[in-house]
Structures are given as C-alpha cells and as structure tokens.
C-alpha cells in the first residue's frame, strides 16, 4: 500500500527515551567526582587503534593492520567525528573513498571510482535490502549514527559477497543482534545534537544488556533526525548552468537550497541466547525517512524548518521511504571438522513512494531474502580457511511515472572458499567463488521481442600476499579476476528516468563483465611516522556503462526523444588506474599535549579502452508507442562522473579531557571528462572539531562537542553528482551537542 505523507512513526516515544537516557546518565557522570581520572584512562575510553580493530567483513579473524587486502576502518572518536546524514558522506574522507550526492538524504559510497551496483553496502555482512542501486536519488537504508564501526573493503570483494561487490564493499557493524554477554548488566550510549546549516535536530539512544544468568542478552536502539532546507553560499544553480539557460537569478533566491529538508526515524530490537559454545539471536528493525529531491522544487519553500504537511504544495518532489527487516543469526564453535560455524538470514520488506506535491508519482516495492553460512575449517596442510554459501532473491515492482524498470525477480547462489597461510615473513591468501544468477522481468512490461529471462554464471579468483620486510615495513601484492552479472536495470530499462532527466534504454543481450586487478602497496611505521602508499590498475573486459549517444540524423548533437537525452546501457573494454597515499606524523607528545599531523591524497582515472565509434539502432518504448532511432556510440574516451583527485591534511591535538582537530581537503578540478560532460571546478572544504570528555565511575562518561564544516563557506559542487549544476554542497555550518556513555 503506498505510503502517505503522514505515515511516520510517532516521534514522542523516541524523544522521551532519549531524554530519559541523558537524564540518568548525566547525574552518574557528574557525581563521579571530583578528581578526574588519568589522561590515559580518559583516552582509552574512546580512542581506538584502528589498525588493531577486528574486521568482521571476512570470516577469518583479522585486523585492518594484518589483512593482506586493502581495508579502511572507522570506529571510536574518528567515527563520531565523521558521522553524517548519509553513509557516503560518513566514509567520504577516507583515502580512495568519496560520495555520490543527490541532496543531503542520499549519498552512496564511491570506492576507487566505482559506485552503484559495483559497491555492495552491507549491514554486518548481509545486503541492505534497499533499491539504492536502481536510481541515484534512492537512499541507503542504513543509519551511520547507530554504527559501532564501518569497514570499507577496497578492491573487488566479489570473493566474499558476490557479483555486486566487484568494486568494493562497505560493511556497517551495528551489533543489533548480540553475540556475547555485556560486561555489565546494562550499558549504552546516547547523543543529542543540533546543527546550524540546516536547523538539524538529532537524538540517538542505544542500550545493550545481559540477564543475571548471563544467558540472555538484548539490544535496543532508536534515532530521530529532522533538518530543514540547508544554507548555501550563493544560488542553487551554477553560473555555468544559468548562462546556458539564459537566466538571471532572483537575489531573493540566494542562500538556501529549496526542497533539501529531511526527516529520519530508525530503531531496532534484538534478543540472543548466549551459551558456552555460541549464540543464537533474532532481531527486528525499521528505517523510515522522508527527504526532498533538490533541483525539482518549486520556487517557494520552507527556509529553515523540517518538512510539514502544510508545505506539501511547495515541497516539489519528496520521497517517503519505509523498510522493515527481520533477522536470524547464530554461531557455534567446535563443529566436527570446523572450528566454527556462523549463519545469517534477513528478510526485508521495502517500500518507497515518490510524491510530486501531494500527488503520488511512483511507488517502488522490494521484497528480499538473503542467507549466508560460513564454516571456518581447522588447519589443513598449514592453511587456515573458510567455506561459505550465500543465497539471495528479490521481487521488485515499480508503478507510476518513474517506472522505467519493469517488475523483476532475481536470485543469486554463491559458493566460495578463502584460505591463508604463513610462510615465514610471507602471508599468502587465496580464494575462489562461483555464482549462479537469474534475472527475470515481467514479459508484458517489456517492449516487444525483448528477452525477459537471463541466466548468468560468474567466477572470481583472488590471490594476495603480504611480505613483512621487518617489524616496521611490509609490502602487499594483490591480483584478482572478478566477474559481475548485469542488473535488471541494465538489462530491461526503457523509459524516462525522472531523477536524471534522461531516457534509459537497457540491453537484454549484455554479457558478464570481467575485471582483472593488480595492486601493490607499501606500509611503513616508526615511533614518529606512519606511511601507507598503494597503486592499482583494473582492466575491464565488457565493462557495462550508461552511454551518451550522438544522433546520426543530426551529427554533432546529442540524441534526444521528446526533449530528453537518450542514454544506452552498453559494454566496452575499460581501464581504471589509481593511487592512494596517507601519512601520519606524530609531531609531539609533551606538556602541551599530543600533536599529530595527517596528510592524504588519492587519484583515479577511468577510460574506455575500445577501438572507435560504432553505429547503433535502438527503440525507445513508451507504453503503446515505440520510437526508433539511429545513433552513434563512442568507443573510447573518459568515463563520466569519475571522482576528482584530492589532497588533504589534518592537525590533531589532545590534552587531558580535550581534543581538537583542524583539517582541509582540496578537490582538484576535474577536466578528464566524458563526451557531453562539463568540467567541474576545484574547491576546498575546511572543517574543525572540538570535544571535552569526562570519565566517571563505573565506565560512565560524558562528552560535549562542537563540529564545524565548510568553514570557508565555499561553493562546492561534487563532480560525481547528477545534481552538480542544481545542488551545491552545504555552506558553513556548526553542529554541537552532547554524548554520554554508560
């Protein structure tokens, strides 16, 4: 049933729970006393050595420091400082990682230039169950504020997670189903924050506890967020776009981005039985959000407040999204020939409705189920390893104006093995995976004479090596052969994609794409310096991409139909080359405090590697009408919306209960653009963080913080965004609030 604008969970219970948590936690912290604990004790509460954090995205135990393949981890105070409204923005300052952008409610991670269906987003090892890969204006249904840690696997992760992870994976660990007893009967954290750039109000509460017997453990979390339209340095439309349209902006329209407000509610309950050899647990969660789509709003808008029903006539296009998820997880040690066994299952029901004012435009429904079994075997011939079996299916339906993808069903079954072995100073990892995929579309929804059922097989092979030259330095090498099957959108799309303003035409004859990757990395550390550098190249055979076309009838012009640009899903060889570097210099640790300087940079180039242009004939299908077109397709050149090169730096300081940082990231001009794509100017984003932390008795703690973003109030337009010329990033803003840990 389509959601209505009023179908949000009541906010009062969540707000009361947050207030109660803070009310009970604050007195415990204040009563703690009088003398403050030592600096070491205070820092230990929130400071996390990210290199020593265990990575849960792989079945073999390992930390970010000793894994053979590249991975980044956010946890502790670093995660607290990075948390944002979207997952992409939260991880967007890690080396090699940026964010797509379709307003503040939408941001998927871009890993080494890959995004969409090539980057798998996971909730503790299982797919998110949303439709964020179908369209660039669809949000990821994972709330980063509730995460314990976020892991980014760079390079193909198909070995572990199948076809949709050929460009990498982002795993959000939230602990919603407890796997072990807590150290105290009840513990948790809460946060209240407010923001100036968008009138943000966010509250979050998390509780974890264990019964007196130690056998039953529970989890509860809740979050509520409201923001208004956010402030921008100038006009929503870029100067280049205004000049092309011949428009003169109204000065009264400057300073705010219309239709950029959002509201989010998220919550979960989990319960587990904990035994001596393992656990079994169940969980239920919801994610409900409503956000405006910038660039499609009317001139009138609400300047500072959250979305209200009274503003519907001026709200433009608004997306209301609701997801309900049930999970079962279990783990058992010492299972015959296996050291451990883990099982995960999730059933997800997802609906989102796109409103144009008060009118329903399009309704998307997606029901998915996914199961995963991991068996870690005992050492065989010196090899530690794990077998895995993964299965998933989904039923997808879109009804309405933006139903450019027909109703589809899909299934995927994958079997894999991953193993590692120490050979003196060398650590070797090998792996293999085989997937069988089936994608089916409703025949009556397709253009005549199109195939509606495709079956694929995909194989992935991987080898990586870590060479410990000495205690301070190691080299890493990796080679992969990974395959990805085309998605339903790439095969069967045929119609106007309202979010991008383009007609997308799929190709039901697309084949599996194959990526061959090679990477070399160096890590060196001493008492004063930590340094990491990596370089990689990826050669794609039959790379699937959305191509701009030239009309053969009027050479030199972009192919259009009914005034909308026509794009074709097609294949060609492609090559990606990139490099990343990060260094941390420990400047001083004395009476003035601990001073660290971090610098990083990354660059990636994506180009087609074909032999030249070719002619194509295609049909655009609109209901009962079919329009035929003759077009020309370029066979080489740059790929569109490739993330620009960056260089950044950050100075961090900590002394006693205080910590602070000041950082800047320079996004360079992107002039390596595709056909019919404009260049993007560079920009610099400056941010700062300040926090005061106080530890109390019994593990209680209290923290007050202030975060500043885009302190130069610079006009910044992400080259990776379809809304680059319509929606700049937010201007100068400050967020402030309080966190408690108990």
């Amino acid at each position: 049933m389509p959601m209505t604008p009023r179908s949000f969970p009541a906010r009062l219970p969540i707000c009361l729970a947050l207030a109660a948590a803070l009310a009970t936690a604050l007195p415990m912290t204040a009563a703690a006393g009088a003398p403050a604990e030592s600096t070491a004790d205070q820092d230990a509460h929130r400071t996390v050595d990210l290199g020593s954090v265990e990575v849960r995205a792989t079945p073999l135990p390992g930390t970010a420091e000793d894994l053979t393949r590249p991975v980044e981890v956010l946890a502790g105070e670093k995660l607290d400082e990075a948390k944002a409204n979207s997952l992409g923005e939260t991880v967007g300052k890690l080396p090699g990682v940026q964010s797509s952008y379709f307003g503040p409610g939408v941001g998927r991670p871009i890993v080494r230039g890959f995004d969409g269906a090539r980057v798998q987003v996971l909730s503790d090892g299982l797919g998110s169950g949303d439709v964020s890969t179908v369209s660039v204006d669809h949000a990821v249904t994972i709330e980063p504020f509730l995460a314990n840690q976020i892991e980014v696997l760079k390079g193909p992760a198909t070995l572990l997670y199948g076809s949709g992870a050929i460009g990498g994976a982002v795993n959000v660990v939230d602990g919603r189903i407890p796997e072990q007893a807590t150290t105290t009967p009840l513990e948790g954290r809460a946060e209240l924050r407010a923001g100036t750039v968008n009138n943000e109000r966010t509250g979050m509460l998390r509780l974890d506890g264990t019964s007196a017997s130690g056998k039953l453990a529970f989890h509860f979390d809740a979050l509520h967020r409201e923001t208004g339209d956010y402030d921008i340095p100038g006009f929503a439309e870029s100067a280049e776009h205004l000049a092309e349209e011949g428009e003169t902006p109204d000065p009264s329209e400057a300073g705010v981005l219309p239709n950029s407000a959002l509201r989010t509610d998220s919550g979960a309950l989990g319960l587990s039985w904990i035994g001596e050899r393992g656990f079994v647990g169940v969980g239920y969660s919801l994610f409900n959000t409503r956000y405006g789509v910038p660039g499609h709003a009317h001139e009138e808008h609400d300047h500072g407040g959250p979305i209200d029903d009274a503003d519907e006539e001026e709200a433009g296009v608004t997306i209301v999204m609701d997801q309900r998820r049930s999970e079962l997880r279990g783990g058992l040690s010492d299972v015959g020939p296996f050291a451990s066994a883990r099982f995960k299952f999730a059933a997800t029901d997802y609906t989102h409705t796109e409103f144009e004012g008060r009118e329903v435009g399009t309704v998307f429904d997606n029901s998915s189920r996914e199961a995963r079994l991991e068996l870690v075997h005992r050492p065989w011939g010196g090899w530690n390893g794990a077998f895995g079996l993964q299965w998933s299916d989904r039923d997808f339906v879109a009804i309405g104006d933006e139903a450019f993808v027909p109703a589809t069903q899909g299934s995927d079954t994958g079997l894999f093995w991953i193993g590692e072995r120490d050979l003196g100073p060398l650590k070797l990892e090998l792996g293999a995976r085989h997937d069988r995929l089936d994608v089916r579309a409703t025949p009556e929804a397709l253009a005549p004479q199109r195939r509606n059922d495709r079956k694929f097989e995909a194989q992935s092979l991987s080898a990586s090596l870590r060479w410990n030259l000495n205690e301070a330095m190691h080299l890493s090498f990796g080679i992969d052969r990974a395959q990805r099957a085309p998605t339903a959108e790439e095969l069967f799309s045929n119609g106007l994609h309202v979010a991008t303003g383009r007609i997308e035409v799929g190709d039901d004859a697309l084949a599996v794409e194959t990526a061959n990757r090679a990477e070399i990395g160096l890590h060196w550390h001493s008492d004063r310096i930590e340094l990491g550098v990596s370089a990689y190249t990826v050669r794609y055979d039959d790379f699937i991409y959305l191509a701009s076309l030239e009309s053969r009838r009027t050479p030199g012009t972009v192919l259009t139909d009914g005034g909308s640009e026509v794009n074709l899903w097609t294949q060609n060889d492609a090559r990606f080359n990139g490099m990343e570097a990060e260094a941390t210099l420990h400047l001083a640790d004395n009476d003035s405090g601990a001073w660290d300087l971090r610098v990083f940079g990354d660059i990636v180039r994506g180009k087609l590697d074909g032999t030249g242009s070719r002619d194509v004939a295609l049909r655009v299908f609109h209901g009962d009408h079919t329009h035929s077109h003759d077009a020309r397709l370029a066979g080489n050149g740059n790929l569109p919306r490739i993330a620009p090169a960056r260089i950044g730096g950050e100075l961090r300081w900590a002394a006693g209960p205080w910590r602070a940082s000041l950082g800047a990231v320079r996004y360079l001009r992107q002039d390596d653009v595709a056909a019919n794509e404009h260049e993007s100017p560079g920009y610099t984003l400056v941010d700062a963080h300040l926090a005061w932390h106080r530890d109390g008795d019994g593990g209680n703690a209290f923290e007050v913080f202030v975060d500043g973003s885009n302190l130069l109030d610079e006009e910044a337009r992400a080259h990776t965004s379809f809304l680059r010329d319509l929606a700049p990033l937010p201007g100068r803003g400050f967020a402030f609030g309080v966190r408690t840990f108990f």
Side-chain angles (χ1 to χ4, degrees), residues 365-414:
D365 284 309
N366 190 66
S367 296
S368 63
R369 292 154 295 279
E370 182 177 0
R372 184 178 179 90
L373 175 65
E374 297 173 350
L375 300 170
V376 178
H377 62 72
R378 304 183 191 280
W380 292 348
W383 287 88
N384 296 312
F387 291 98
L389 176 64
Q390 185 174 359
W391 166 86
S392 67
D393 73 0
R394 82 164 190 172
D395 295 312
F396 169 81
V397 178
I399 303 172
D401 295 339
E402 200 183 341
F404 64 99
V405 182
T408 59
Q409 301 80 43
S411 62
D412 180 6
T413 303

Side-chain angles (χ1 to χ4, degrees), residues 295-593:
H296 299 276
H298 299 291
E299 291 184 0
E300 298 180 33
H301 57 275
D302 171 41
H303 179 78
I307 298 176
D308 292 314
D309 294 337
D311 300 321
E312 285 297 324
E313 297 299 333
E314 291 81 29
V317 177
T318 303
I319 292 180
V320 179
M321 181 182 296
D322 184 86
Q323 179 175 282
R324 309 299 166 104
R325 183 178 177 97
S326 302
E327 293 191 55
L328 169 67
R329 294 173 182 255
L332 188 64
S333 60
D334 296 327
V335 186
F338 300 103
S340 66
R342 296 177 64 87
F343 175 77
K344 307 174 184 179
F345 172 80
T348 305
D349 291 317
Y350 170 100
T351 297
H352 97 230
T353 306
E354 301 186 359
F355 290 91
E356 299 175 10
R358 288 184 179 273
E359 299 297 324
V360 174
T362 307
V363 178
F364 293 84
D365 284 309
N366 190 66
S367 296
S368 63
R369 292 154 295 279
E370 182 177 0
R372 184 178 179 90
L373 175 65
E374 297 173 350
L375 300 170
V376 178
H377 62 72
R378 304 183 191 280
W380 292 348
W383 287 88
N384 296 312
F387 291 98
L389 176 64
Q390 185 174 359
W391 166 86
S392 67
D393 73 0
R394 82 164 190 172
D395 295 312
F396 169 81
V397 178
I399 303 172
D401 295 339
E402 200 183 341
F404 64 99
V405 182
T408 59
Q409 301 80 43
S411 62
D412 180 6
T413 303
L415 177 66
F416 68 89
W417 175 81
I418 183 172
E420 60 184 26
R421 180 176 183 176
D422 291 328
L423 302 169
L426 304 178
K427 182 177 182 179
L428 176 64
E429 180 187 288
L430 299 176
R433 178 176 177 125
H434 177 79
D435 280 272
R436 301 186 66 177
L437 305 99
D438 185 9
V439 184
R440 304 172 302 280
T442 304
E444 57 268 22
L446 295 176
Q449 300 177 0
R450 297 193 71 184
R451 287 186 287 179
N452 72 303
D453 192 347
R454 294 293 312 277
K455 300 181 185 296
F456 302 95
E457 295 195 5
Q459 289 82 30
S460 295
L461 300 171
S462 174
S464 55
L465 178 70
R466 173 186 167 120
W467 181 12
N468 296 314
L469 300 175
N470 51 53
E471 292 185 357
M473 180 183 297
H474 71 257
L475 290 172
S476 59
F477 306 89
I479 55 174
D480 300 91
R481 180 186 184 274
Q483 291 188 314
R484 180 181 77 90
T487 64
E489 301 79 55
E490 296 162 343
L491 292 167
F492 304 126
S493 294
N494 202 314
L496 178 63
H497 187 173
V498 177
T500 63
R502 305 179 183 191
I503 294 172
E504 295 186 12
V505 181
D507 183 352
D508 56 18
L510 292 175
V512 168
E513 67 178 19
T514 302
N516 299 284
R517 180 194 71 117
E519 178 169 355
I520 183 171
L522 167 69
H523 180 85
W524 174 73
H525 66 271
S526 67
D527 293 338
R528 298 289 301 275
I529 300 176
E530 299 175 27
L531 173 65
V533 181
S534 61
Y536 58 90
T537 182
V538 187
R539 172 78 180 266
Y540 268 91
D541 297 326
D542 297 322
F543 181 79
I544 301 172
Y545 67 104
L546 189 61
S548 179
L549 301 170
E550 178 185 334
S551 173
R552 289 182 59 197
R553 182 171 299 176
T554 55
T557 62
V558 175
L559 179 66
T560 61
D561 185 302
S564 298
E565 181 179 338
V566 179
N567 287 176
L568 174 68
W569 285 105
T570 187
Q571 291 185 296
N572 207 333
D573 294 343
R575 184 184 295 273
F576 287 76
N577 297 312
M579 191 171 184
E580 302 160 8
E582 182 178 23
T584 300
L585 176 61
H586 304 292
L587 299 174
D589 189 358
N590 50 38
D591 292 341
S592 67

